[in-house]
């Protein structure tokens, strides 16, 4: 089986990435063989199209309602034929894998398309392409086209497998608003060494960039009656933080996990700002406080906390409820905190609640009542024994987010990386306001916190006949209350994309659908059960209309009649 051509073609237009991976394979044996197509794609992406073509006959993947597709193919599954085609691979990626049997001398083409909105983190957008052909490929090529009307501020490529020879196969052409990155290594350049027919291409190919930002009220882009508004202020004073770390030291954290937690906390302590206040609560079946109140992050207090962190050891059960309620109480009783400051609780746990209150619904309810919208709760789940669903619901119900920390060598870096994302809040209570009667299907437009280096994205559909789109942003900064105003000329904005050859015409509409689906799914996690159904119904409609494989749809992969039918590509979620 010979992959004679592999092409990754990625077009990023105003953060929205559309990636097409095409693999052409020939069976050079004199009997039929199995050809396998594997793609590792970002978890944040939605698959939108797949087909295979065998000797010119096309077998498309069909996107259907998940429940209906599973029912239809239950028979195939019960005969033990089918496991899903997509599974979670690691922290950032999932794996799509399909195999088909092809006759001697036959050719097959596989093509997969997926889309995602690149999310700004720590000041940059990252496009991650996984490269793992497992053999030398005669025609191998990666093309990345980027078009950012705001202008490209910086652009870099990075790869885990580059050598000097391979660098020669990499070209980068860039002007004010566009970039084209091409990577086209010859067979010789792909070899580990001239004698061995083994490939060097195994790992990540990453493009990172950021855009220029002039306008204070962000940047508005419009195509075919849909708008997207990007807002990412910078160089603003940072809010002082009042942060309590609630750390699990139950028996299951023993060994490497508690070591990695200690390493991460020591680094995080160094990153606290002098005007921050902080505290530690640790828990097993018993709850212990480092100090009974919040302390300012003076050198002395940070050193004392570091000594305390060094002594963390793990044994006993898991009383998440008492520990969190204690944290909320400490924040509530704190005195002499800076008037304008941001209070947050960061929970790190690796297990289910086993001591104290163990009913997750009761815990969720009690915590939400106690926090009452005053503080943000961030939940970090270490490994796969946690109930991620529980942590995610608790975080999203209390203005925070959940993240799974993978039990890998870089766990301490994962923890630190998370902290860096939330370490610099620069705005709170952000309201993005648009004329009510002129916009339909507006995505989320109120945000509790904005962190330096991230970006707020709002999208919607503009009513016909609107010439000017006025926007107003209200927010609180550390020093003042802000009101920012901007007016977008609809026709002028539409013009920007008119002459761009490689842009698919309705990309802002697809971006709007992608963002709406992601937000509805997130909303459903913390919604009461009766609302969940309605939110999921909306997700299903949009997923089918725009053909996205989301947690509510499945792609049915069709194959030649003599081969196993009823394989489904589903979207795996972190909560399983």
């Amino acid at each position: 089986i010979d992959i004679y051509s592999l092409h990754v073609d990625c077009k990023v237009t105003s953060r929205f990435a559309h990636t097409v991976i095409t693999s052409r394979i020939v069976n050079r044996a004199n009997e039929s063989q199995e050809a396998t197509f594997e793609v590792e794609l970002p978890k944040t992406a939605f698959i939108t199209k797949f087909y295979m073509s065998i000797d010119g006959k096309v077998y498309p993947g069909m996107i259907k309602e998940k429940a209906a597709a599973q029912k239809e193919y239950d028979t195939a599954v019960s005969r033990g034929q089918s496991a899903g085609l997509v599974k979670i691979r690691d922290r950032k990626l999932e794996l799509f894998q399909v195999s088909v049997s092809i006759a001697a001398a036959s050719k097959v083409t596989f093509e997969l398309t997926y889309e995602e909105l690149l999310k700004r983190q720590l000041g940059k957008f990252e496009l991650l392409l996984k490269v793992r052909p497992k053999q030398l490929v005669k025609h191998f090529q990666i093309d990345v086209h980027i078009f950012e009307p705001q202008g490209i501020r910086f652009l870099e490529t990075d790869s885990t497998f580059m050598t000097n020879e391979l660098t020669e196969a990499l070209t980068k052409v860039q002007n004010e608003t566009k970039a084209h990155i091409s990577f086209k290594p010859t067979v010789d350049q792909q070899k580990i060494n001239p004698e061995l027919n083994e490939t060097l291409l195994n790992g990540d190919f990453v493009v990172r960039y950021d855009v220029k930002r002039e306008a204070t009220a962000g940047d508005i882009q419009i195509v075919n009656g849909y708008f997207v508004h990007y807002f990412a202020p910078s160089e603003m004073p940072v809010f002082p933080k009042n942060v309590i770390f609630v750390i699990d030291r139950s028996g299951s954290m023993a060994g490497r996990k508690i070591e990695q937690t200690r390493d991460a906390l020591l680094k995080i302590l160094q990153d606290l700002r002098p005007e921050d206040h902080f505290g530690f609560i640790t828990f097993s079946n018993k709850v212990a406080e480092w100090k009974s109140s919040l302390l300012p992050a003076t050198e002395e207090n940070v050193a004392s906390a570091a000594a305390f962190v060094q002594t963390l050891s793990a044994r006993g059960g898991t009383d998440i409820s008492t520990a969190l309620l204690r944290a909320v109480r400490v924040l509530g009783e704190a005195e002499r905190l800076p008037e304008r400051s941001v209070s947050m609780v960061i929970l790190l746990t690796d297990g289910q609640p086993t001591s104290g209150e163990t009913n997750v619904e009761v815990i969720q309810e009690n915590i939400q009542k106690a926090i009452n919208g005053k503080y943000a709760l961030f939940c970090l789940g270490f490994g796969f024994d946690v109930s991620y669903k529980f942590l995610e619901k608790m975080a999203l119900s209390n203005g925070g987010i959940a993240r799974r920390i993978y039990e890998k060598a870089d766990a301490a870096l994962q923890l630190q990386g998370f902290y860096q994302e939330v370490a610099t809040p620069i705005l709170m209570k952000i309201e993005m306001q648009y004329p009510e009667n002129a916009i339909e299907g507006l995505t989320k437009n109120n945000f509790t916190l904005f962190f330096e280096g991230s970006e707020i994205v709002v999208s919607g559909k503009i009513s016909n006949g609107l010439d000017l789109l006025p926007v107003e942003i209200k927010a609180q900064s550390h020093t003042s209350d802000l009101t920012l105003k901007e007016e977008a000329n609809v026709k002028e904005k539409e013009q920007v994309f008119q002459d761009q050859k490689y842009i698919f015409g309705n990309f802002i509409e697809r971006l709007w659908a992608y963002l709406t689906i992601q937000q509805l799914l997130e909303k459903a996690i913390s919604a009461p059960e009766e609302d969940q159904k309605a939110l999921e119904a909306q997700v299903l409609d949009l997923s089918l209309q725009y053909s996205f494989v989301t947690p509510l749809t499945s792609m049915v992969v069709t194959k030649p009649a003599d081969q196993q039918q009823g394989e489904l590509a589903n979207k795996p979620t972190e909560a399983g």
Side-chain angles (χ1 to χ4, degrees):
I1 288 280
D2 178 22
I3 304 173
Y4 61 92
S5 159
L6 184 58
H7 192 185
V8 179
D9 183 49
C10 182
K11 297 177 171 49
V12 184
T13 309
S14 186
R15 344 274 200 265
F16 195 63
H18 173 91
T19 304
V20 182
I21 297 175
T22 313
S23 172
R24 299 176 201 283
I25 297 177
V26 60
N27 178 4
R28 301 204 189 277
N30 46 16
E31 58 189 8
S32 61
Q33 290 214 65
E34 196 155 71
T36 299
F37 175 62
E38 283 191 348
V39 173
E40 290 176 83
L41 63 147
K43 288 179 179 175
T44 43
F46 291 145
I47 289 173
T48 173
K49 215 159 83 207
F50 169 73
Y51 76 82
M52 55 188 153
S53 157
I54 301 170
D55 294 332
K57 186 169 177 0
V58 174
Y59 299 88
M62 323 279 224
I63 294 181
K64 299 188 172 187
E65 180 191 358
K66 188 175 185 173
Q70 296 215 263
K71 204 148 131 200
E72 201 176 321
Y73 291 98
D74 259 358
T75 45
V77 178
S78 63
R79 289 201 297 270
Q81 289 181 347
S82 175
L85 300 174
V86 188
K87 27 189 175 307
I88 287 186
R89 186 68 177 232
D90 61 23
R91 190 163 61 96
K92 289 185 176 176
L93 297 163
E94 57 195 36
L95 174 72
F96 172 87
Q97 187 178 35
V98 68
S99 299
V100 63
S101 170
I102 52 171
S106 274
K107 287 181 177 175
V108 57
T109 299
F110 294 103
E111 188 169 286
L112 181 76
T113 306
Y114 61 84
E115 291 176 343
E116 65 174 322
L117 180 63
L118 301 181
K119 202 171 165 199
R120 188 165 182 254
Q121 278 180 320
L122 303 175
K124 41 187 168 282
F125 299 101
E126 179 177 286
L127 176 74
L128 170 62
L129 298 169
K130 198 74 182 180
V131 179
R132 213 196 288 267
K134 297 183 180 168
Q135 55 169 266
L136 300 172
V137 179
K138 191 175 175 187
H139 303 287
F140 179 94
Q141 188 167 353
I142 295 177
D143 278 299
V144 178
H145 290 271
I146 298 173
F147 174 52
E148 287 289 351
Q150 286 170 265
I152 296 170
R153 191 174 69 76
F154 83 91
L155 175 76
E156 61 183 27
T157 56
D158 190 7
S159 150
T160 52
F161 53 77
M162 270 309 162
T163 60
N164 290 342
E165 281 74 48
L166 281 174
T167 314
E168 290 166 21
L170 183 69
T171 58
K172 200 160 79 171
V173 183
Q174 187 184 342
N175 65 20
E176 189 68 18
T177 57
K178 279 187 198 159
H180 175 207
I181 293 156
S182 161
F183 179 55
K184 204 174 169 180
T186 62
V187 169
D188 284 343
Q189 286 170 322
Q190 292 170 43
K191 289 182 178 178
I192 286 183
N193 66 40
E195 286 73 56
L196 279 178
N197 280 344
E198 283 181 33
T199 180
L200 279 165
L201 307 183
N202 182 359
D204 300 349
F205 185 85
V206 183
V207 179
R208 293 189 193 93
Y209 73 92
D210 196 17
V211 301
K212 294 179 176 164
R213 292 177 179 80
E214 315 282 298
T216 48
D219 190 79
I220 293 172
Q221 296 172 19
I222 301 172
V223 171
N224 291 355
Y226 282 80
F227 82 92
V228 61
H229 183 185
Y230 296 112
F231 179 54
S234 60
E235 291 172 18
M236 287 195 152
V238 176
F239 278 105
K241 295 189 298 301
N242 315 308
V243 57
I244 298 194
F245 298 93
V246 180
I247 305 297
D248 185 340
R249 54 178 169 82
S250 60
S252 54
M253 283 286 288
R256 200 167 167 206
K257 282 194 227 168
I258 200 85
E259 275 168 38
Q260 290 172 317
T261 303
R262 282 199 300 255
D263 291 348
L265 290 173
L266 291 171
K267 296 271 190 339
I268 288 169
L269 281 169
Q270 298 309 311
D271 288 342
L272 288 171
R273 298 163 183 268
E275 61 275 19
D276 291 342
H277 285 68
F278 74 109
F280 281 99
I281 289 175
T282 63
F283 66 95
S284 52
N285 42 344
K286 296 191 180 70
V287 173
E289 288 168 287
W290 164 57
K291 299 281 191 248
S292 57
S293 63
L294 282 184
L295 292 183
T298 60
E299 246 176 81
E300 208 175 321
N301 287 339
V302 166
S304 153
F308 165 75
V309 165
Q310 300 277 22
T311 65
L312 281 182
S313 62
R315 58 183 165 276
T318 310
D319 186 352
I320 292 176
S321 180
T322 308
L324 279 179
L325 290 170
R326 178 84 50 91
V328 174
R329 203 175 74 214
V330 171
L331 279 172
E333 290 169 356
E335 291 165 3
R336 294 194 299 280
L337 294 180
E339 193 174 320
R340 282 195 179 216
S341 56
V342 169
S343 296
M344 54 177 84
V345 176
I346 298 178
L347 167 72
L348 172 69
T349 178
D350 77 332
Q352 320 270 0
T354 58
S355 310
E357 179 57 71
T358 56
N359 178 326
V360 291
E361 271 139 26
V362 174
I363 297 176
Q364 278 159 352
E365 210 171 300
N366 291 345
I367 299 300
Q368 200 170 343
K369 257 194 213 134
I371 289 182
N372 195 13
K374 295 194 294 281
Y375 320 124
L377 171 63
F378 297 95
C379 297
L380 303 177
F382 207 145
F384 279 85
D385 298 331
V386 289
S387 164
Y388 191 79
K389 233 183 182 136
F390 157 63
L391 295 179
E392 192 172 35
K393 182 169 180 178
M394 211 158 47
L396 290 172
S397 307
N398 295 291
I401 56 172
R403 188 71 61 82
R404 193 189 294 280
I405 302 297
Y406 278 70
E407 289 182 53
K408 295 267 169 73
D410 72 343
L413 286 172
Q414 293 176 51
L415 287 166
Q416 264 170 271
F418 170 79
Y419 174 75
Q420 280 168 344
E421 283 174 49
V422 298
T424 46
I426 56 174
L427 288 179
M428 58 199 284
K429 301 193 173 101
I430 304 111
E431 287 176 43
M432 315 281 284
Q433 298 172 342
Y434 308 87
E436 262 172 43
N437 49 0
I439 303 293
E440 288 170 57
L442 189 65
T443 59
K444 180 177 159 135
N445 64 330
N446 284 335
F447 303 86
T448 340
L449 291 171
F450 174 80
F451 298 101
E452 174 84 72
S454 65
E455 180 172 64
I456 284 175
V457 186
V458 182
S459 183
K461 187 182 182 188
I462 302 170
S463 311
N464 291 341
L466 194 71
D467 297 327
L468 289 174
L469 174 63
V471 303
E472 184 170 293
I473 302 172
K474 293 191 158 156
Q476 294 178 7
S477 81
H478 178 38
T479 47
S480 63
D481 290 357
L482 303 175
T483 303
L484 304 168
K485 290 182 179 179
E486 186 77 43
E487 210 167 42
N489 180 318
V490 176
K491 287 208 170 44
E492 272 174 31
K493 290 284 180 188
E494 290 253 7
Q495 209 44 54
V496 175
F497 294 96
Q498 262 10 17
D499 51 351
Q500 301 303 325
K501 303 286 179 289
Y502 59 78
I503 291 167
F504 43 112
N506 60 346
F507 92 93
I508 292 188
E509 185 177 343
R510 292 192 69 77
L511 182 161
W512 166 82
Y514 171 95
L515 189 60
T516 303
I517 289 170
Q518 293 280 30
Q519 291 178 355
L520 289 169
L521 288 167
E522 196 168 280
K523 209 168 161 182
I525 291 166
S526 56
E529 225 163 282
E530 58 276 14
D531 300 349
Q532 247 165 14
K533 293 275 173 285
L535 292 166
E536 287 175 354
Q538 277 176 275
V539 170
L540 177 61
D541 282 351
L542 283 169
S543 305
L544 292 170
Q545 187 183 340
Y546 289 96
S547 84
F548 286 131
V549 178
T550 68
L552 293 164
T553 50
S554 283
M555 181 183 278
V556 180
V557 171
T558 54
K559 290 186 181 180
D562 59 344
Q563 294 187 44
Q564 164 192 339
Q565 296 300 312
E567 285 193 295
L568 300 182
N570 294 328
K571 175 83 183 158
T573 63
E574 200 63 79

